Amino acid sequence: MKIIVEKEGQNMTRELSALQKARLGYKPKLPKVLRNGIKNLNLEYGVPTQAIADADDVQELFPNSYGKPMATFTSKHDAVPNKTTNVGVILSGGQAPGGHNVIAGLFDALKEANPDNKLFGFLCGPAGIIDGEYIEITGNLMDEYRNTGGFDIIGSGRTKLESEEQFMKTWNTCQNLNISAVVVVGGDDSNTNAALLAEFFLEKKAGIQVIGVPKTIDGDLKNDQIEISFGFDTATKTYAELIGNIERDANSAKKYWHFIKLMGRSASHVALECALQTHPNITLISEEVAQNKTSLSEIVDYMTNIVAERANRGKNFGVAVIPEGIIEFIPEMKSMISNLNDKLALCEDEADYMALSTKEEKREYLKNKLEAHNAEVFASLPESIQAQLLMDRDPHGNVQVSRIETEKLLVEMVQAKLTEMKKNGQYKGKFSSQTHFFGYEGRCAAPSNFDADYCYSLGYNAFALILFDVTGYLSSVKNLTKPADEWIAGGVPLTMLMNMEKRHGLMKPVIQKALVDINGPVFGELQKNREIWAYEDHYLFTGPIQYYGPSEVADAPTKTIQLERE
Amino acid sequence: MKIIVEKEGQNMTRELSALQKARLGYKPKLPKVLRNGIKNLNLEYGVPTQAIADADDVQELFPNSYGKPMATFTSKHDAVPNKTTNVGVILSGGQAPGGHNVIAGLFDALKEANPDNKLFGFLCGPAGIIDGEYIEITGNLMDEYRNTGGFDIIGSGRTKLESEEQFMKTWNTCQNLNISAVVVVGGDDSNTNAALLAEFFLEKKAGIQVIGVPKTIDGDLKNDQIEISFGFDTATKTYAELIGNIERDANSAKKYWHFIKLMGRSASHVALECALQTHPNITLISEEVAQNKTSLSEIVDYMTNIVAERANRGKNFGVAVIPEGIIEFIPEMKSMISNLNDKLALCEDEADYMALSTKEEKREYLKNKLEAHNAEVFASLPESIQAQLLMDRDPHGNVQVSRIETEKLLVEMVQAKLTEMKKNGQYKGKFSSQTHFFGYEGRCAAPSNFDADYCYSLGYNAFALILFDVTGYLSSVKNLTKPADEWIAGGVPLTMLMNMEKRHGLMKPVIQKALVDINGPVFGELQKNREIWAYEDHYLFTGPIQYYGPSEVADAPTKTIQLERE
């Protein structure tokens, strides 16, 4: 319990910025149906649901929790059961703006239902509930974190809560604290595990509910019922602020190409949203690359042609937006990295390789290690990137894809191609570059009004679902492009989001990631404008997130949700 | 004139963000004395001024413009002369938020004085006035740029306007456009050249005035009379937003050390201000390093000790803020880089060096090229940094210091030191790192209310100075920690800011850069808290710049100016 003391002591004496102080007083908006008090609700059920795919397999694995109906809150003036309900909450995985407000909504609903209810926060992610490390979230502590960014109230972690042994320990922790419901705030993996935990508790007749909350700045945890995961709004607006500022700089100095990599390994929603907010000259989308089986050299050609054509028009500057994960979507890179993971051991090989001085020797060496086509791909990369592929391995010897500086890789390859074109007289411009990677800059930003309201509602709604005794549900608040008044609150059965996928060679039930739909309206909007944005300068400057001021400035949701839902 | 057409056409059809639209309507605040109309002013003169140092030498070089008195505007209801006055404006050097508002203030005052007055904007910096490339700034064009970031209305450039030939061409351009005053918006170098141009026009009896406006995000163009250069407020607040977000992330994930490099080569005001706004665990200040003659290994020791002590306390995370220019302030690095610039030619040497495989061979090779102590320093650096020093040369073969990834250099050296300590049992923690460089993210941000008001006032005031026939003055608006109502407007003779410094082997009159005063109150504030911030987590989250909302959120000036002036 040392942590509580240190935390409270720290915060009480801690200096706050003017904006922090002002935001602590912000009252997040709830859906109308949740505003009459936690005790004046009715939960209406729809028809039973099906898994998104592989229904039989998923059902077999979730015999107790499969196929539950959709659930929607309506107002009611009968009293709901007033039992004492202690709840545990876990923040799982990467931070997303608004996590503290999920806890605030949950806390307020829980205390409103019964002041004797307790909320326990497990420390540093799922490991906290497994090992029984927690703090009780008190009113004073909660008040210091309302509308703030970060997950620092209890910390987060990436331990996977998935084994029988971990479930048993979790059960034990819950029994010790008299916890009857666990709220898991996480992305697709964490919510998959929340579904497994719910099934486990049902099977054991433990009487412990599990409710998930859709979190991830990546925006890839969504479906018809979950319009967006929280944090996406704030993170993309923060990156868009920076991209817009850089565009303005590029267009003022007129001498640099800025290659900007944005966080998001599995899906390109962040890059796509930011592109729609800022209109860069080049936007790469991983899902498009995968669909078209675009090769690295085709990507480089695409970029180089835009650089060269802009130079023809007297513009030796521009901005390119690149999703972090793109390298894994390029077929030959994916194959080469996989081959490298399998075949090339750490350390000795690397030293041997780096000692070779000519390109021919290096290529020859790799031919003996990698399959021929993979060796060719490897040899075609700039040396600095080869070194990253060889050196930055994780403890299992795998290439750490997130450490590969894709933005620099592309700069070097575009530069090389331009040099070649210059020799042939096809290019007469100048190419100077700056590279950027934005991710950590936005994951813990203070939530926008949208995320502050949405997260508070998700948390409040999670407790309402607990009161109605459901389990294995994801807290759902929808109709988000409308004012909060018109938002619809309810629950979505987690098994409904699942299908079977191969993981480490075995078929596993998992929540399907929502990738960018290249036939959908959001990508369509990029596609429609891409050519124009490439050559003319339609840069858009969204500026920093505003918490005050005209509603269209302070409250507008993302382009993605507007295009998908309107 | 093609540029005008393209620019207007583009902007008229251009989509604007909600914030852009809202900000176009913002009315910047003027000092009270300037609010009665451009024709109701009186300029009061003080006593003659002296150069900051080397007065005799400066006076000899500026026989016509030296020693002018300070000048302050007061209200008056007599009409001032109503001559037609065409003005030319130049944006010089790196962008700073608020440049467009300087032009807006200048434009509004000029048109208010006489609607027939014309404002010409020279394109892409000083080169525009030398080569006669310009646009006329019209009301419609101006209205599209009010309160926006960037210098894109006319572009900026780094051509130095300093030779007799350039002055003659400039004179010619002014005669062609019937321009009777030139406003130079720039940093210390550009304003030094503005002073030379003013002297030239006086000597030639050209009848053309020159007024400077103090611009630089670096914050190093200031003195008793110039409280701060414009742009510093917005840029530091933008970087502080990002640093605060990263601190929150560090404190939530609890697994990374973030090493953040901030723009600012000559002075560390940006790093210092950002540190006071965000309270990072480590802050390096170049001026302190120079003063104490701190060696690179001492800096690494300082950082490593904090990392290790935090690890002892269970905190394997933190945030370090590093000024971009620090490497040039470390005595042995400065010496080594200078030696490298002098002695090591491009290309061939580099290839020879990189081909050597053992450290001993490399050290031996360098001993024959560099002086022994410099060779030692070079050999002590990580290989990736050695490669940057050897490869990234400018066209004169000089090391491009701004391209050196100092943040990565320090990460690698801290890592190496920790590995050593681990072997000796002195360190048991984990060190994972992320590096960042912020500069381009803030130079073109939309100006804060402070910069929007200050810049508009500087521009309006510049025209008022022109009306009163002064030349060789810097537009001055002071008392900036008070509300705009109480701001004092006037002019500061440029020669007052000058001293003699050696440039390319010759003594030249230059405006003295205002470095961080390590005996002053701003550095004192860091010093007082540094030890506490290192080990406890007093992270402060300023959030994004707010244009609306409570005044303490939306209008507060920087810590630097508050500490210096209050």
Side-chain angles (χ1 to χ4, degrees), chain B residues 62-133:
Chain B
F62 294 87
N64 298 291
S65 54
Y66 183 81
K68 297 265 177 70
M70 291 289 303
T72 306
F73 283 109
T74 54
S75 294
K76 194 193 172 191
H77 293 274
D78 302 349
V80 293
N82 197 8
K83 57 177 180 173
T84 306
T85 311
N86 292 344
V87 175
V89 62
I90 300 166
L91 300 174
S92 183
Q95 286 80 252
H100 289 158
N101 268 28
V102 172
I103 299 180
L106 181 60
F107 177 86
D108 288 351
L110 167 144
K111 291 292 183 186
E112 189 188 325
N114 185 337
D116 293 334
N117 287 342
K118 287 185 176 170
L119 179 61
F120 297 102
F122 290 101
L123 300 177
C124 298
I129 200 166
I130 297 168
D131 302 334
E133 302 207 337

Side-chain angles (χ1 to χ4, degrees), chain A residues 168-284:
Chain A
M168 290 299 292
K169 286 185 175 176
T170 297
W171 190 9
N172 186 41
T173 301
C174 291
Q175 285 175 319
N176 289 343
L177 293 169
N178 197 21
I179 282 175
S180 58
V182 176
V183 174
V184 176
V185 181
D188 53 334
D189 273 355
S190 306
N191 275 298
T192 293
N193 293 335
L196 290 166
L197 184 64
E199 178 66 24
F200 170 86
F201 283 145
L202 284 172
E203 185 203 321
K204 301 289 183 194
K205 302 192 194 325
I208 303 171
Q209 296 161 258
V210 181
I211 302 292
V213 175
K215 171 231 70 170
T216 167
I217 64 161
D218 296 343
D220 57 4
L221 175 53
K222 63 180 172 184
N223 69 357
D224 278 351
Q225 304 301 324
I226 303 294
E227 298 183 354
I228 192 65
S229 53
F230 80 76
F232 179 73
D233 187 88
T234 308
T236 54
K237 285 173 179 167
T238 303
Y239 305 142
E241 174 198 356
L242 304 180
I243 297 167
N245 287 355
I246 289 171
E247 287 175 341
R248 196 120 216 176
D249 201 292
N251 194 32
S252 298
K254 299 190 191 296
K255 66 177 180 179
Y256 289 121
W257 264 91
H258 294 267
F259 280 34
I260 304 173
K261 187 172 72 174
L262 293 178
M263 205 171 250
R265 270 185 69 183
S266 308
S268 299
H269 298 291
V270 171
L272 180 54
E273 171 65 27
C274 289
L276 296 183
Q277 285 191 37
T278 62
H279 306 177
N281 305 105
I282 294 175
T283 307
L284 302 180

Side-chain angles (χ1 to χ4, degrees), chain A residues 41-296:
Chain A
L41 288 168
N42 190 31
L43 189 59
E44 288 185 6
Y45 293 98
V47 293
T49 57
Q50 295 292 327
I52 191 170
D54 315 312
D56 292 346
D57 294 334
V58 176
Q59 181 163 19
E60 204 179 313
L61 292 160
F62 293 87
N64 298 292
S65 54
Y66 183 81
K68 295 267 175 70
M70 291 288 304
T72 307
F73 282 109
T74 54
S75 294
K76 195 191 173 191
H77 292 273
D78 303 349
V80 294
N82 197 9
K83 57 177 179 174
T84 306
T85 311
N86 292 345
V87 175
V89 63
I90 301 166
L91 300 175
S92 182
Q95 286 81 249
H100 290 157
N101 267 27
V102 171
I103 300 180
L106 180 61
F107 177 86
D108 287 351
L110 167 143
K111 291 291 183 187
E112 189 188 327
N114 185 338
D116 293 335
N117 287 342
K118 287 184 177 171
L119 179 61
F120 297 103
F122 291 101
L123 300 177
C124 298
I129 199 166
I130 298 168
D131 302 334
E133 302 208 339
Y134 66 92
I135 56 172
E136 185 187 336
I137 295 180
T138 61
N140 284 341
L141 180 64
M142 193 69 253
D143 286 349
E144 293 175 12
Y145 287 87
R146 291 178 190 272
N147 309 302
T148 58
F151 279 7
D152 43 312
I153 188 171
I154 50 176
S156 182
R158 294 189 182 271
T159 303
K160 291 205 186 305
L161 177 57
E162 58 187 354
S163 72
E164 178 88 8
E165 189 196 341
Q166 290 171 326
F167 290 165
M168 290 299 292
K169 286 185 175 176
T170 297
W171 190 9
N172 186 41
T173 301
C174 291
Q175 285 175 319
N176 289 343
L177 293 169
N178 197 21
I179 282 175
S180 58
V182 176
V183 174
V184 176
V185 181
D188 53 334
D189 273 355
S190 306
N191 275 298
T192 293
N193 293 335
L196 290 166
L197 184 64
E199 178 66 24
F200 170 86
F201 283 145
L202 284 172
E203 185 203 321
K204 301 289 183 194
K205 302 192 194 325
I208 303 171
Q209 296 161 258
V210 181
I211 302 292
V213 175
K215 171 231 70 170
T216 167
I217 64 161
D218 296 343
D220 57 4
L221 175 53
K222 63 180 172 184
N223 69 357
D224 278 351
Q225 304 301 324
I226 303 294
E227 298 183 354
I228 192 65
S229 53
F230 80 76
F232 179 73
D233 187 88
T234 308
T236 54
K237 285 173 179 167
T238 303
Y239 305 142
E241 174 198 356
L242 304 180
I243 297 167
N245 287 355
I246 289 171
E247 287 175 341
R248 196 120 216 176
D249 201 292
N251 194 32
S252 298
K254 299 190 191 296
K255 66 177 180 179
Y256 289 121
W257 264 91
H258 294 267
F259 280 34
I260 304 173
K261 187 172 72 174
L262 293 178
M263 205 171 250
R265 270 185 69 183
S266 308
S268 299
H269 298 291
V270 171
L272 180 54
E273 171 65 27
C274 289
L276 296 183
Q277 285 191 37
T278 62
H279 306 177
N281 305 105
I282 294 175
T283 307
L284 302 180
I285 298 295
S286 300
E287 290 85 344
E288 184 189 22
V289 165
Q291 168 91 8
N292 298 340
K293 300 192 170 45
T294 316
S295 69
L296 182 57

Side-chain angles (χ1 to χ4, degrees), chain B residues 141-152:
Chain B
L141 179 66
M142 194 68 253
D143 285 349
E144 293 175 12
Y145 287 89
R146 290 178 189 270
N147 309 303
T148 59
F151 279 7
D152 42 311

Side-chain angles (χ1 to χ4, degrees), chain A residues 295-338:
Chain A
S295 69
L296 182 57
S297 76
E298 284 168 338
I299 292 173
V300 171
D301 285 350
Y302 169 72
M303 300 180 88
T304 308
N305 288 339
I306 292 176
V307 172
E309 174 53 26
R310 285 180 61 85
N312 275 343
R313 301 182 187 201
K315 297 174 185 176
N316 288 299
F317 64 90
V319 171
V321 164
I322 301 155
E324 183 188 12
I326 197 162
I327 206 157
E328 292 175 288
F329 285 78
I330 300 169
E332 81 272 22
M333 292 295 285
K334 193 175 167 182
S335 156
M336 183 272 289
I337 289 170
S338 157

